[in-house]
Amino acid sequence: MSGQSRGSTTTSTSTSTAGAINPFEVALKQLDEAAKLINLDAGLHQVLAHPKRVLTVSIPVRMDNGEVKVFTGFRSQHNDARGPYKGGIRYHPQVTVDEVKALSMWMTWKCAIADIPYGGGKGGIICNPKEMSDGELERMTRRYAYGIADIIGPMTDIPAPDVYTGGKEMAWIMDTYSALKGNYVQPEVITGKPLAIGGSLGRNEATGRGLSFTVREAAKRLKVNMKSATVAVQGFGNAGQFASQLVEEQGAKVIAASDSKGGVYNKAGISVSALRKHKEKTGSVTGFAGAKSISNEELLEIECTILIPAALENQITGRNAGKIKAKIVAEAANGPTTPEADDILYKNGILTIPDILANGGGVTVSYFEWLQNLRREYWTEDEVNQRLDRNITKAFSDVYETHEKYRVNMRKASTLLAVNRVVEAIKIRGLWP
Ligand code: NAD
């Protein structure tokens, strides 16, 4: 098996599943809207509509029962005009090439909004990690790392964790890459690593912390008092848990939370730390003492001040957007709101803090981790959090100003701001050759 090719480079287009919302089409539509608003040159629009490279790799893995199973993995590199590609790797049965392409484009915008010197990338493997042993996961991860090793690197493309991947997988990728490329330790090839091998303090909480800063800023603009605000969180995973904890620390009351198994609701408030302990022990938020069971659909529609979608794409759609009662929707997840739903929320006076702004804390602290690795130095948690606050607060204010200036919703404002920044870099660098 070891002589197998490292995969083919393609730039194939849409492979939308019949009936499902194709995330890449959503991303293209958002780009079209921004292009129209800023009168973008048609050629540059085309450049941005195509990822620079999409690599598909097949990943043969010896499973624990002795059989060989071949998984499919992707790495999409959207644009590197402002710096190396940056973006997570997700393990999920529903990963598609179009999802990865869309996510890589959103990473380009996200890094531009956060004003960090990166472009956008994203990776994924079609698999169900919940049904795999640690040994199988390690063999799959290392073989995927081998498959993409020639297109990633500390100065070219720096992956990170995403859905159902974390420090463990990042460590295997760093180790495999380091062994393949000179056999010396190269922590700066990947971020989201455990502390013992060059991870950054504050990285685990970064997405949730960044989101809590954007919520704080939005509340100031809308004159919402955080002390009387209520919060519902769909997806009580890494991003959702820290986001809940940190908005709770600002005085808000979390009244509902959910995960893939279902949701819980208590109008009087749910202690985030108690719910985390319950989830740690039982594997789910469901069955939490004193709370009522609700479905994920019901959670989105409950009466609350702040709604935090922190699970998967396409949760707020044309079908349920009209029923959302929150004042602020802060998107921890990537792509949770469809364009049709966006327009409905905007019309109903709901302020959406879009994913590319709201969850930019993760990539910002990833950038801090990379800087620390390159310099072989380490910052205190306070230093990380203060720098993060400065970056995110500035990003929020840049987007909010654009939103007011162009009279468009916050997502259009974010994309517009990002496209302008990326286009400026492309123009200055020029088209090669
Ligand atoms: P995670 O795997 O830690 O958590 C995901 C959570 O969502 C889990 O609790 C899972 O049970 C739940 N979930 C899955 N399907 C669901 C459904 N249909 N309804 C309700 N809940 C469901 O992943 P994460 O890292 O927290 O990522 C969540 C989202 O945030 C993703 O869209 C990811 O791209 C985005 N995000 C995460 C980070 C980060 O640093 N963790 C950074 C940027 C964006």
Side-chain angles (χ1 to χ4, degrees):
M1 287 282 177
S2 59
Q4 200 161 308
S5 131
R6 287 195 182 187
S8 59
T9 304
T10 70
T11 48
S12 68
T13 49
S14 170
T15 52
S16 168
T17 324
I21 300 165
N22 181 326
F24 191 58
E25 280 163 18
V26 173
L28 286 177
K29 191 160 178 235
Q30 291 164 351
L31 173 63
D32 289 351
E33 284 169 355
K36 222 178 277 164
L37 281 166
I38 58 169
N39 241 333
L40 180 64
D41 168 85
L44 285 172
H45 186 171
Q46 278 309 300
V47 170
L48 294 174
H50 293 83
K52 196 160 160 188
R53 170 158 54 189
V54 185
L55 178 69
T56 302
V57 289
S58 51
I59 310 160
V61 178
R62 176 90 51 202
M63 305 303 278
D64 291 345
N65 64 7
E67 282 172 16
V68 172
K69 196 166 166 185
V70 179
F71 295 89
T72 301
F74 308 105
R75 183 75 189 165
S76 171
Q77 299 178 326
H78 175 253
N79 186 282
D80 64 347
R82 289 170 45 91
Y85 305 102
K86 184 91 191 81
I89 293 169
R90 67 171 53 181
Y91 290 176
H92 198 275
Q94 269 135 37
V95 164
T96 64
V97 72
D98 276 359
E99 180 187 56
V100 171
K101 281 162 63 179
L103 290 163
S104 71
M105 188 188 291
W106 287 324
M107 282 307 295
T108 303
W109 310 147
K110 192 182 295 183
C111 294
I113 291 163
D115 212 2
I116 52 179
Y118 285 140
K122 202 77 176 194
I125 303 179
I126 307 168
C127 66
N128 189 350
K130 287 184 176 174
E131 290 173 357
M132 295 171 73
S133 71
D134 251 21
E136 290 170 342
L137 277 174
E138 178 170 0
R139 293 191 288 281
M140 182 182 77
T141 302
R142 286 185 182 277
R143 186 63 193 231
Y144 172 69
Y146 161 79
I148 63 168
D150 282 346
I151 65 160
I152 63 167
M155 293 299 153
T156 48
D157 183 351
I158 304 127
D162 195 76
V163 177
Y164 298 140
T165 61
K168 191 171 71 177
E169 289 77 11
M170 301 306 108
W172 291 327
I173 294 175
M174 179 196 118
D175 185 70
T176 307
Y177 183 88
S178 298
L180 287 172
K181 304 279 174 181
N183 202 20
Y184 65 98
V185 184
Q186 298 179 60
E188 55 276 12
V189 68
I190 201 153
T191 59
K193 298 177 295 294
L195 283 179
I197 54 165
S200 176
L201 289 168
R203 173 61 182 82
N204 260 352
E205 303 86 341
T207 301
R209 190 176 296 278
L211 183 129
S212 75
F213 294 147
T214 65
V215 167
R216 180 193 67 200
E217 295 306 304
K220 274 188 213 158
R221 302 306 198 283
L222 300 185
K223 307 209 171 355
V224 165
N225 181 355
M226 285 302 284
K227 303 264 183 290
S228 52
T230 53
V231 184
V233 187
Q234 186 201 45
F236 203 63
N238 174 295
Q241 289 185 23
F242 288 117
S244 318
Q245 184 193 315
L246 291 156
V247 291
E248 186 183 66
E249 280 175 19
Q250 288 176 34
K253 189 162 71 180
V254 174
I255 55 167
S258 68
D259 57 31
S260 57
K261 300 206 176 97
V264 286
Y265 171 63
N266 185 347
K267 208 174 163 184
I270 293 172
S271 148
V272 175
S273 68
L275 188 62
R276 283 180 67 185
K277 277 191 201 123
H278 173 81
K279 176 151 176 144
E280 235 166 67
K281 213 161 80 193
T282 65
S284 171
V285 296
T286 55
F288 181 68
K292 212 170 88 182
S293 294
I294 50 165
S295 69
N296 268 299
E297 291 72 39
E298 286 167 332
L299 179 136
L300 295 174
E301 296 166 15
I302 63 171
E303 189 88 45
C304 64
T305 323
I306 300 154
L307 175 65
I308 305 179
L312 298 171
E313 288 94 26
N314 303 326
Q315 299 300 304
I316 304 175
T317 64
R319 207 173 31 81
N320 61 7
K323 298 182 195 149
I324 287 177
K325 300 174 192 79
K327 284 195 173 69
I328 297 169
V329 175
E331 297 180 341
N334 285 312
T337 310
T338 65
E340 191 189 356
D342 248 346
D343 291 338
I344 298 171
L345 296 180
Y346 187 53
K347 216 172 63 215
N348 290 348
I350 297 167
L351 186 86
T352 302
I353 312 174
D355 45 10
I356 49 176
L357 171 63
N359 69 27
V363 73
T364 303
V365 176
S366 268
Y367 165 57
F368 297 161
E369 178 178 336
W370 181 72
L371 285 180
Q372 293 170 75
N373 292 158
L374 287 170
R375 297 175 186 160
R376 298 293 191 268
E377 68 179 30
Y378 290 94
W379 305 349
T380 64
E381 191 164 355
D382 269 356
E383 210 173 334
V384 171
N385 293 346
Q386 278 167 23
R387 283 183 190 236
L388 177 63
D389 195 348
R390 276 203 301 274
N391 272 51
I392 296 289
T393 302
K394 166 82 169 55
F396 184 91
S397 130
D398 289 349
V399 172
Y400 198 82
E401 266 171 33
T402 312
H403 148 81
E404 288 191 314
K405 180 173 162 197
Y406 286 87
R407 295 172 185 278
V408 291
N409 68 30
M410 293 280 282
R411 187 179 327 275
K412 286 182 190 158
S414 305
T415 313
L416 203 154
L417 181 75
V419 171
N420 261 332
R421 286 181 179 166
V422 176
V423 163
E424 191 188 355
I426 297 176
K427 280 187 181 159
I428 292 170
R429 288 181 57 168
L431 193 61
W432 188 89

